[in-house]
Amino acid sequence: MGDASGMDTANLVAAWLSFGVTAVGLGGLISQASAINDQLDPYHATRTAEYLGIWFQRQPGFPWWRIAKPPPHGPVIAAKMAGGFCGTDALHIARIPVVPPGKAGWSILLAMFNQEKPVLGGGVASDSAAAEKGAAARARVQAKSTDSDRSDVAWSAAGKGVAGSWIHLERRALKRHQSHACIVISRTTLITMLVTTNGRPVFQYSDATGFRAGYASYCGQWYITWPIGQEAIVKFAAHDSIGSTEVLPRSFVQRVDRCGQMASGVVSAASSSFAVGFCGRKPAGTYRLEHAVKGFQNAHSGRHLYNMMGGQAFQVDFLSARAVDDDDAAAAAEEEDGTRTRTLHLPCKATGARTVRLLVAPHEARVLAQALDSLPWTALSWSLHRGLRDVLLAYGGGIMGAHRASLAALLRATVAARPEVFRARGWDAAFVRDNMGAMAAAAVLAGTGNSGDAVRVVADIVQVYVGDWDVARLDEVMFWRRADVSEVKELDAQAVVALTKMFVLEWSQEFDYQLYHHLPINLYFG
């Protein structure tokens, strides 16, 4: 009896030992298989918090027993003039990312674009310099929670700068392209993002190997590559020169619809049906400016881009340039309705030399004056249709030159008189005290440039000068249409706003509004 009991115990121990050895072996095999599977995962290097940023927290879960991991997910981004950026027209753009950015370009961009004004430290910081440094430090913190919704809510509740953070966006599986995990965007979305960030071409090549282009912007560098026979990919990298030395307010507002209009060469007024499109740059010669009611649909200029971005070109008037011979030009320069036709000298299409003579009759001059009064207000320079820029600068340049010194002096005096207001708006105290007024005056007196910071400085000073004007009032003024505009001596608020919008034109960059010809319908954004 005792021997049988001992044998049963021995057998039980042996069975358990065998089970244990088997379990350990299986565990080892599973661990090795998991390690091998991780190494074979095509997204192994791109499903990390370092690469995805805050979107690492928003990944869907999957069963532990599933051998092949599904691709990581990213947001669906759509942007155009009609509808804004992911449904938001007035973006609050911050060059220092508000939430932890990853290495993916789309992650960095979404950390700069905000639906609401970023709030630092749960409220208005008493020391903006400290707030800037604190925000930059927080941007390097990686969240540890794996519950995406709770972690996003916790981040926001802690007052750590989240302004929407695009948590509502639909998410889809990322596409692998070389070493990148990409979202798919349309060419319309790409162009909208370029003009919203004030992009300007740096280089562009199209040859037998494919298409390559680089665009500098206020927020960072854009690169587009489309090799022959392969997918087109877009990359975005933030500037590496912005950090604790930033002296500007954390964010500024950029209206997506207005950026699209200006890139397409269209100026419109919200208070009326006024909307006019401009023709492109012309070869050397003499032309007559002609206003065609609802004629923009017949234009070759920016109408393709305008329609692509959600506009309706058939609702827009058109200012075309009709070629005339020398005899017609001489006749057109004679008296017309008691007023001489005005001649503008514009850059030509081939070399940029001012070899284009544009004859402007009184009716077309009134249209140009209304366009100048209806230029949209902005805190940043435009990515601009060059035909629009050429004509409006030539038409208003003389009056702008006459008031340049007065405007510069007014900007300097406004900063000197109200430093505490600028401090409350987020400007660095030392910058306001020592540099802001002089910088603004120098920019206005320069007459041209390409600094987005200079435009932000001048625009904010003017907003402080005019006080409680809302954006609709800033958008449309009554200065260029005044009968005595050429005789104005003292600048009132309307004149200051109008001349500031002319200054922004001087400091804006030309944009290739036919870029879409070089791009496929959809691109990878890595």
Side-chain angles (χ1 to χ4, degrees), residues 23-39:
V24 171
L26 287 174
L29 290 174
I30 292 173
S31 298
Q32 292 179 15
S34 298
I36 294 172
N37 186 54
D38 282 341
Q39 295 300 319

Side-chain angles (χ1 to χ4, degrees), residues 68-87:
K69 295 181 179 179
H73 282 56
V76 176
I77 295 178
K80 60 181 181 178
M81 187 175 65
F85 181 86
C86 299

Side-chain angles (χ1 to χ4, degrees), residues 425-458:
R425 293 170 70 90
W427 294 89
D428 178 77
F431 174 74
V432 172
R433 182 179 63 250
D434 301 329
N435 308 108
M436 190 174 189
M439 178 179 173
V444 170
L445 293 173
T448 186
N450 63 2
S451 168
D453 284 347
V455 173
R456 286 186 65 186
V457 168
V458 172

Side-chain angles (χ1 to χ4, degrees), residues 48 72 108 197 391 465 511:
T48 63
I108 298 172
T197 57
V391 173
Y465 172 77
F511 184 78

Side-chain angles (χ1 to χ4, degrees), residues 477-490:
V477 295
M478 187 68 177
F479 173 71
W480 298 99
R481 288 171 287 177
R482 288 175 53 174
D484 63 341
V485 64
S486 60
E487 302 171 4
V488 171
K489 302 298 182 183
E490 298 292 331

